[in-house]
Amino acid sequence: MKLLRYGPPGGEKPGLLDASGAIRDLSGAVPDLAGEALSPEGLAKLAALDPASLPAVPGTPRLGPPVAGMRNLVCIGLNYADHAAETGAPIPKEPIVFLKSLGALSGPNDDVVIPKNSRKCDWEVELAIIIGTRATCVPEEKAMDHVAGYAVGNDVSEREWQIERGGSWDKGKGCDTFGPVGPWLVTKDEVPDPQDLSMFCDVDGQRMQEGSTRTMIFGVRTIVSYVSHFITLHPGDVVFTGTPPGVGMGKKPDPIYLKPGQTMRLGIAGLGEQTQRTVAYGGG
């Protein structure tokens, strides 16, 4: 299944993408795509529905993040061997774990705001794991039992703040709009091998990133187990799993960074695509 949430920010409704690509309203079947709805039993109930029996959603509504009720937006750094090489970083011996602010979460096609005084905003297409059931201290052999499915993520990053300003990575990762997720949650039964998915990111029509989850250092199973020993994962939590090569920071001879008025288009095979426009900070 491809599950989604549509409508204005804060007012999203649950939906399902049918075989024809039309959105069907799930609000009569489930309050939201959160909690028990993401468990194996909850997903089985949704899968048993006849999409044709659900109300069709007219037009092309805004898509929000495909899950609600998130407590943690976890990220794994330097998790692709070829990306680590382009940054000159050594291969990590254990997963590098950091958190994005939940305020960074946004819809797959929402604008990305270049923060005030930012000079080095960058893109990162990533496979996002969506948690379906509570996971704490989970062994690797049972880790997949806690996965509801997958989505596309963009781990937008301000490199100066992440790397050059001291302290943790978090302040370069958690800005408003820096965590687009979607367009939908694809349930894990439709993704036979999450370690064999091609992925890309274009900026203004130019291919910047092209890679595959085959080059991940730590796979999905390992990541879920590892993180669960430090952070209890809850239904609706999202784990970004790292990015392939081609980020702006790694471009030669000179890095390339985002500026207002650009368009990012990114996607992962079988999981859909996102398109975001970059806009200037307009706050006080």
Side-chain angles (χ1 to χ4, degrees), residues 66 73-75 98 100-101 104-114 121-129 151-159 172-183 199-203 208-209 238-244 246-248 258 262-268 272-278:
L73 179 48
V74 183
C75 301
F98 63 94
K100 272 186 179 286
S101 164
L105 187 67
S106 61
N109 304 314
D110 291 347
D111 290 346
V112 167
V113 178
I114 304 296
C121 275
D122 206 348
W123 53 85
E124 291 191 10
V125 60
E126 306 207 3
L127 173 68
I129 305 167
V152 181
N154 188 358
D155 178 18
V156 184
S157 306
E158 213 298 347
R159 301 302 190 188
K173 296 284 193 171
C175 304
D176 294 347
T177 73
F178 271 27
V181 180
M199 53 208 307
F200 74 92
C201 177
D202 296 343
V203 178
M208 295 295 187
Q209 287 185 279
V238 174
V239 183
F240 282 16
T241 59
T243 196
V247 298
L258 294 165
Q262 294 188 288
T263 299
M264 291 181 281
R265 175 176 162 263
L266 53 149
I268 299 177
E273 296 184 2
Q274 305 178 348
T275 301
Q276 295 117 22
R277 185 172 63 101
T278 56

Side-chain angles (χ1 to χ4, degrees), residues 73-104:
L73 179 48
V74 183
C75 301
I76 307 298
L78 294 174
N79 193 35
Y80 281 66
D82 36 9
H83 172 55
E86 77 171 342
T87 64
I91 299 295
K93 293 184 171 62
E94 295 188 33
I96 297 172
V97 179
F98 63 94
L99 298 174
K100 272 186 179 286
S101 164
L102 295 183

Side-chain angles (χ1 to χ4, degrees), residues 3-6 10-14 31-38 64-72 102 105 130-132 181 185 234-238:
L3 302 173
L4 54 89
R5 298 171 67 249
Y6 67 95
E12 293 94 344
K13 295 181 179 181
D32 208 341
L33 296 174
E36 285 298 313
L38 300 173
V67 289
M70 182 190 303
R71 297 195 195 184
N72 297 293
L102 295 183
L105 187 67
I130 297 180
I131 301 298
V181 180
L185 155 63
H234 298 270
D237 283 356
V238 174

Side-chain angles (χ1 to χ4, degrees), residues 172-209:
K173 296 284 193 171
C175 304
D176 294 347
T177 73
F178 271 27
V181 180
W184 30 76
L185 155 63
V186 180
T187 51
K188 65 182 176 183
D189 58 293
E190 293 195 9
V191 186
D193 185 0
Q195 306 306 148
D196 189 18
L197 301 174
S198 60
M199 53 208 307
F200 74 92
C201 177
D202 296 343
V203 178
D204 289 342
Q206 181 179 352
R207 183 60 45 96
M208 295 295 187
Q209 287 185 279

Side-chain angles (χ1 to χ4, degrees), residues 2-33:
K2 293 181 175 65
L3 302 173
L4 54 89
R5 298 171 67 249
Y6 67 95
E12 293 94 344
K13 295 181 179 181
L16 176 151
L17 194 75
D18 70 18
S20 72
I23 297 175
R24 298 285 180 164
D25 182 9
L26 278 176
S27 56
V30 65
D32 208 341
L33 296 174

